[in-house]
Amino acid sequence: MEALIYASGGVVIVTILAVVYYLTHESKYAYERKFDYGYRVALQPVSGQYEKDLSLDPYASLVTANKDGLDGLDEKEETVPMPTLEELSGGATFGTGTPLSGDLAKVDPSKLYRDDWRAQKPANVGQRFLVFGFATPEYKSDKMAIAWAPDASFNSELAPFDLHLRLVRAPSSVTVQPIDIDLKRQPEGRMELPSYVATSDEARTEGYVFALEATPTSSTAAAVSGGIFRSEWDPTGSYPKFGFVPLLMGTFLITLLAILFASPFAIATAVYLSESAPSRVREWVKPVIELLASVPTVVLGYFGLMLVAPFLQNTLAKAVGMDSGRALLTTSLIMAVLLIPTITSVAEDALRAVPQSMRDGGEALGLTLKERLRKIVLPAAKGGLTAAILLGMARAIGETMIVWILGGGAPLLPTFHGVKDTVGNLMKPVTAAPDTVAREMGNVDFQGVHYGHLFLLGLTLFVLTLVINIVGYRLGRRNAWQS
């Protein structure tokens, strides 16, 4: 028997080590990430159309290191050449374009395009984009403006590069001060310039030449590690974001609320079964509670979706603005139902482990049942009760199906600007780490960056639940009356 116990313990340890190794090994693909950035650059009148929204300017040039970009020509660039004066006539008075190269000496005037889409690079590799700019003969003012803005959904603060927009060459016919714009401090803006008018298509490349330069500021490993502490999770966007904060925050909120809902009822039930219930009642109720722990979580999820969610939406929609029954409150309530059997069973075992002699001593002193519970039994069993709650937390942190079915699938960062705002968080959709892994794993590139981040998220959950279970186990074995 002793050998069997040691063998079982060995199997558990080997399994834990194997899981940790596998999760860690697959997480390495997150650290093969290449980083993206993108800016729109255009010449415009000093004031006028497209001044407030550069993305609407059809003649603005997009220079980007993007997951859809390639080094050299691709379909996007080949179909949109740099506009000629004839094409701009009657429609626009400015044009910009790029040679798809960062070296001005290697520019081929016959191969100029409006945009420059390039492949992403690791955090320790910089890039340089060139943008030519000119005005057409139809433009009569002696001043024009260079305008720049980040591409839609790109946040310059997230890029592990120093991003600068510099004037590389000015037309020989004008005098202008050096330009060096820090795009992290000033991600969008406008600056006046003396006008340069191209009188022929050949003269388009003899005007202003700007360079967007990305200079590395950290290693790829440091950039990836820093990125997981961000507050945005958008792995499939044009500029992917892999911040774990909203996912872990959703996990934490669901777990906390479920524990708050479940613990009072579960511990009260455990106290009743341990201290007050007749033996016949205890013999029937305890097995029933333990059987409830075996109910499939998908059943609980659909129970909440078909009954609890519609009820909450019908009763709370007008009062607090609950748009959908799939929300943090619904998820937490059903999660509490899942936790009640676990917490009750462990708590009842902890209470029954308190020696009967301690209860008899309290009774001999004339203490009532309520007083014996408050002064003797509960303090003596506090380690086991804490362990019950911690084990419930570990169960909630790893739960997938209930959150998947009832959460609503939207990352939640709660706000607390008053009582109404705080309560409103309960009515918002939520997602958590486990359901995110389950939902997205089937739609990722095998051994890609998104794939690696999901395994890294899984490793984080595994370590978190393992630590909580170990702490709960140790507390469960250490009773206050024995210390």
Side-chain angles (χ1 to χ4, degrees), residues 80-339:
V80 188
M82 181 177 178
T84 64
L85 295 181
E86 182 180 357
E87 291 170 338
L88 294 172
S89 178
T93 51
F94 296 95
T96 55
T98 172
L100 309 184
S101 170
D103 189 347
L104 188 58
K106 297 180 180 180
V107 171
D108 183 352
S110 65
K111 296 181 179 179
L112 299 174
Y113 301 89
R114 187 190 66 184
D115 303 323
D116 189 352
W117 294 61
R118 299 189 194 173
Q120 301 158 298
K121 299 293 183 182
N124 59 348
V125 178
Q127 293 196 85
R128 188 172 189 253
F129 299 80
L130 294 179
V131 179
F132 294 93
F134 61 92
T136 69
E138 298 178 21
Y139 189 67
K140 303 303 181 182
S141 174
D142 60 351
K143 291 287 185 180
M144 60 185 186
I146 172 73
W148 66 91
D151 191 20
S153 79
F154 170 63
N155 184 347
S156 60
E157 294 181 359
L158 304 182
F161 304 98
D162 273 336
L163 298 168
H164 284 259
L165 182 64
R166 295 186 172 98
L167 176 63
V168 175
R169 190 188 70 192
S172 58
S173 59
V174 304
T175 301
V176 61
Q177 295 296 322
I179 296 175
D180 187 347
I181 302 164
D182 186 339
L183 294 176
K184 286 198 169 182
R185 293 184 178 180
Q186 192 177 358
E188 60 182 307
R190 294 165 58 84
M191 181 176 293
E192 289 189 11
L193 299 169
S195 293
Y196 167 76
V197 176
T199 55
S200 66
D201 286 338
E202 292 73 17
R204 292 177 302 167
T205 59
E206 298 173 3
Y208 286 99
V209 182
F210 298 91
L212 188 145
E213 299 177 352
T215 306
T217 58
S218 70
S219 66
T220 298
V224 171
S225 299
I228 66 177
F229 294 102
R230 301 284 185 177
S231 60
E232 295 178 286
W233 175 264
D234 183 17
T236 59
S238 300
Y239 300 93
K241 303 175 182 68
F242 296 97
F244 288 1
V245 171
L247 307 181
L248 296 177
M249 180 63 72
T251 302
F252 171 77
L253 289 174
I254 293 169
T255 301
L256 177 63
L257 290 172
I259 289 294
L260 290 177
F261 293 148
S263 294
F265 182 82
I267 292 177
T269 303
V271 169
Y272 170 74
L273 292 176
S274 172
E275 307 300 322
S276 302
S279 58
R280 193 172 187 83
V281 173
R282 186 184 304 115
E283 290 172 0
W284 282 96
V285 174
K286 182 70 180 292
V288 170
I289 291 176
E290 292 178 344
L291 283 174
L292 289 175
S294 64
V295 175
T297 56
V298 67
V299 174
L300 290 177
Y302 278 108
F303 170 79
L305 182 65
M306 303 306 294
L307 296 177
V308 179
F311 172 77
L312 291 178
Q313 186 176 1
N314 292 335
T315 55
L316 299 179
K318 293 183 179 180
V320 294
M322 190 178 194
D323 297 327
S324 170
R326 301 176 67 191
L328 174 59
L329 178 61
T330 313
T331 308
S332 301
L333 286 172
I334 300 302
M335 188 72 76
V337 174
L338 174 69
L339 300 185

Side-chain angles (χ1 to χ4, degrees), residues 266-267 269-271 273-274 286 289-290 293 339-354 381-393 395 469 472-473 475-477 479:
I267 292 177
T269 303
V271 169
L273 292 176
S274 172
K286 182 70 180 292
I289 291 176
E290 292 178 344
L339 300 185
I340 285 173
T342 300
I343 298 175
T344 300
S345 180
V346 178
E348 200 265 346
D349 289 341
L351 290 167
R352 289 182 64 82
V354 177
K382 66 179 181 181
L385 298 178
T386 304
I389 293 173
L390 288 175
L391 292 175
M393 288 180 60
R395 180 75 175 87
N469 274 289
Y473 174 76
L475 285 174
R477 289 177 58 88
N479 298 296

Side-chain angles (χ1 to χ4, degrees), residues 368-452:
T368 64
L369 174 60
K370 183 177 180 180
E371 291 172 332
R372 292 199 302 272
L373 286 173
R374 189 177 72 253
K375 297 181 179 181
I376 298 176
V377 179
L378 291 178
K382 66 179 181 181
L385 298 178
T386 304
I389 293 173
L390 288 175
L391 292 175
M393 288 180 60
R395 180 75 175 87
I397 287 173
E399 173 52 35
T400 302
M401 290 306 300
I402 289 176
V403 185
W404 193 346
I405 294 171
L406 293 174
L412 172 63
L413 282 176
T415 54
F416 304 96
H417 303 305
V419 176
K420 183 177 180 180
D421 190 51
T422 301
V423 174
N425 292 319
L426 299 174
M427 313 305 156
K428 296 177 182 177
V430 67
T431 190
D435 70 299
T436 298
V437 174
R439 185 173 57 251
E440 297 182 6
M441 184 58 76
N443 300 309
V444 299
D445 293 333
F446 180 64
Q447 296 183 348
V449 173
H450 187 185
Y451 171 94

